[in-house]
Amino acid sequence: MIRLGDIVKELLIEGGNVFGDTSPIKKEYIDPTLNMFAGELSRIFPKKRGTFGTFEKLGSAGKKPISGDIDLAYSIENLMPNGQPDLTGWGIDAYEFSAAVDKIQKRARTATLQQSQLRAMIEFIGNKINQETNNIQTDLKQSTAGSLFCKAVQYDELGDEINKTVQIDINVGDPKWLKFSYYSNTYKGNVKGLHRTQLLVALFDYKGKMFKHAQGVLDRETREIEAKTPEEVLELINKLYNINLTQDTLDDYFKLIDHLKKNLSQDDLHGIYDKYLKILDSTRADIPEDLQQYWIENKERLGLKGKFLPDDSKLKQYIQ
């Protein structure tokens, strides 16, 4: 059974809008908006000015004419160099920080000290942003130990503000891992980059593992990290399923699902489909067209609600 606290919340956020009142952004507006976003952060955190130029776009941002939001990679070394919180660089009071970490650890007993420290840093950073500017707003209830969710004003190519905002997610971790975990070779039909990522989540969940955007692949019981690079993920998934995926296949939803159909038993394949559709049911995204018939046939058995299906989904007619 999918563990909601471990998987669904993270993917629900990835799949759509946290704030509810932001707008999609045109491709040509992304860079000027990010320039102004980085400039505002530089004003608020002057000692970190140089780090905001290292943001890297993730997923489909800038690859399509319109993007629903913008995902950014931001190295954890900018917050916790060598594993130690940079309180001075971010202007965080040491006493208040220690108290916040203690509070987090009491309510998140399975979190490591470093995870609690990172979460506390994100909370302090988000709070300061909210206090210092009206151009960026953060949602700390949805933000996690690995991400800060922001609503930012959009700007056009001339640097002029337009009457719209966009969601910008700052994902903290190893940029190489983040680029892999948000990557997809192909965007076609109703399939987006998140569909490939969530299929990986389902594949690992079926084998008792957890695919985490900011960390890697963890064993569900021991919480030990078993893979934290793209190469290690490929090796682990081939070992778990006794198959021979290539990196190119792993990076493409269509190639990956086709390989699974050809090389897994019917029981394993349907078990993975069940996991996958349950995850997608809590994600703001459509069901890939090649799995829509399976969704229809198994909707009642799996308890699928279709609450977050887009308005133009062919499956809307099956939702009461």
Side-chain angles (χ1 to χ4, degrees):
M1 186 177 200
I2 293 174
R3 298 176 60 162
L4 298 179
D6 294 329
I7 299 174
V8 173
K9 179 182 176 183
E10 178 180 352
L11 291 170
L12 175 60
I13 292 170
E14 181 206 354
N17 191 282
V18 167
F19 297 92
D21 59 351
T22 57
S23 301
I25 185 169
K26 294 181 179 180
K27 180 179 180 179
E28 58 267 29
Y29 290 177
I30 290 179
D31 284 343
T33 295
L34 289 179
N35 288 337
M36 300 301 291
F37 181 72
E40 191 71 348
L41 293 178
S42 297
R43 181 186 66 80
I44 299 169
F45 305 103
K47 293 183 179 179
K48 290 294 179 179
R49 180 184 302 274
T51 71
F52 301 126
T54 67
F55 284 136
E56 295 186 64
K57 294 190 285 287
L58 299 171
S60 62
K63 298 178 181 178
K64 302 186 297 182
I66 299 289
S67 295
D69 56 14
I70 304 172
D71 279 300
L72 299 175
Y74 190 59
S75 176
I76 192 172
E77 291 296 311
N78 295 323
L79 276 73
M80 300 184 66
N82 300 315
Q84 298 301 314
D86 183 9
L87 303 183
T88 301
W90 291 97
I92 299 173
D93 179 83
Y95 178 80
E96 292 180 356
F97 180 76
S98 179
V101 171
D102 288 343
K103 184 177 180 180
I104 290 170
Q105 289 205 292
K106 287 179 181 178
R107 69 172 186 253
R109 299 181 184 276
T110 61
T112 65
L113 175 60
Q114 190 175 66
Q115 288 171 336
S116 297
Q117 290 174 331
L118 180 57
R119 170 71 197 196
M121 291 201 70
I122 287 175
E123 288 184 359
F124 275 99
I125 292 168
N127 276 323
K128 189 166 185 179
I129 291 171
N130 289 340
Q131 293 167 5
E132 296 289 333
T133 181
N134 293 322
N135 287 343
I136 304 173
Q137 175 187 338
T138 68
D139 187 322
L140 295 177
K141 290 184 179 180
Q142 297 288 355
S143 296
T144 68
S147 300
L148 178 63
F149 301 103
C150 306
K151 178 171 70 173
V153 173
Q154 292 191 33
Y155 293 84
D156 63 19
E157 303 99 318
L158 299 177
D160 293 329
E161 180 180 333
I162 65 174
N163 191 30
K164 290 182 180 181
T165 57
V166 64
Q167 181 174 317
I168 301 177
D169 301 342
I170 301 175
N171 301 282
V172 180
D174 175 3
K176 181 180 179 181
W177 171 260
L178 289 168
K179 284 187 284 187
F180 166 75
S181 67
Y182 280 84
Y183 183 74
S184 179
N185 271 347
T186 306
Y187 298 85
K188 184 171 65 177
N190 68 348
V191 170
K192 303 192 293 185
L194 62 86
H195 287 99
R196 169 264 188 182
T197 301
Q198 292 166 318
L199 182 54
L200 292 184
V201 174
L203 282 165
F204 282 114
D205 186 53
Y206 185 68
K207 293 292 187 177
K209 314 296 179 183
M210 300 165 59
F211 183 96
K212 305 290 284 184
H213 274 72
Q215 297 171 269
V217 180
L218 290 68
D219 183 85
R220 183 184 296 146
E221 299 302 324
T222 67
R223 299 301 172 108
E224 292 182 0
I225 297 177
E226 298 188 1
K228 56 183 179 181
T229 68
E231 295 79 13
E232 290 175 351
V233 169
L234 181 63
E235 182 180 355
L236 179 58
I237 206 166
N238 280 333
K239 179 180 178 181
L240 290 172
Y241 285 96
N242 193 28
I243 52 180
N244 188 30
L245 294 173
T246 64
Q247 195 68 56
D248 181 65
T249 299
L250 194 66
D251 287 344
D252 189 302
Y253 168 82
F254 296 99
K255 292 179 180 179
L256 179 55
I257 199 76
D258 185 60
H259 190 96
L260 298 176
K261 290 176 181 177
K262 292 177 179 177
N263 291 278
L264 297 186
S265 70
Q266 196 80 340
D267 286 345
D268 282 344
L269 192 62
H270 287 177
I272 293 165
Y273 285 173
D274 291 353
K275 296 280 187 183
Y276 188 46
L277 293 182
K278 286 182 179 180
I279 295 171
L280 289 179
D281 200 50
S282 295
T283 306
R284 293 183 177 93
D286 203 357
I287 306 301
E289 292 179 358
D290 60 310
L291 290 180
Q292 289 195 358
Q293 187 59 41
Y294 189 89
W295 186 96
I296 294 168
E297 294 172 354
N298 295 277
K299 174 180 176 292
E300 298 301 325
R301 177 177 66 84
L302 296 174
L304 304 176
K305 305 298 183 183
K307 179 180 178 181
F308 298 109
L309 289 172
D311 291 337
D312 60 353
S313 173
K314 297 176 182 178
L315 299 177
K316 274 289 190 178
Q317 60 181 306
Y318 299 97
I319 305 302
Q320 297 181 357

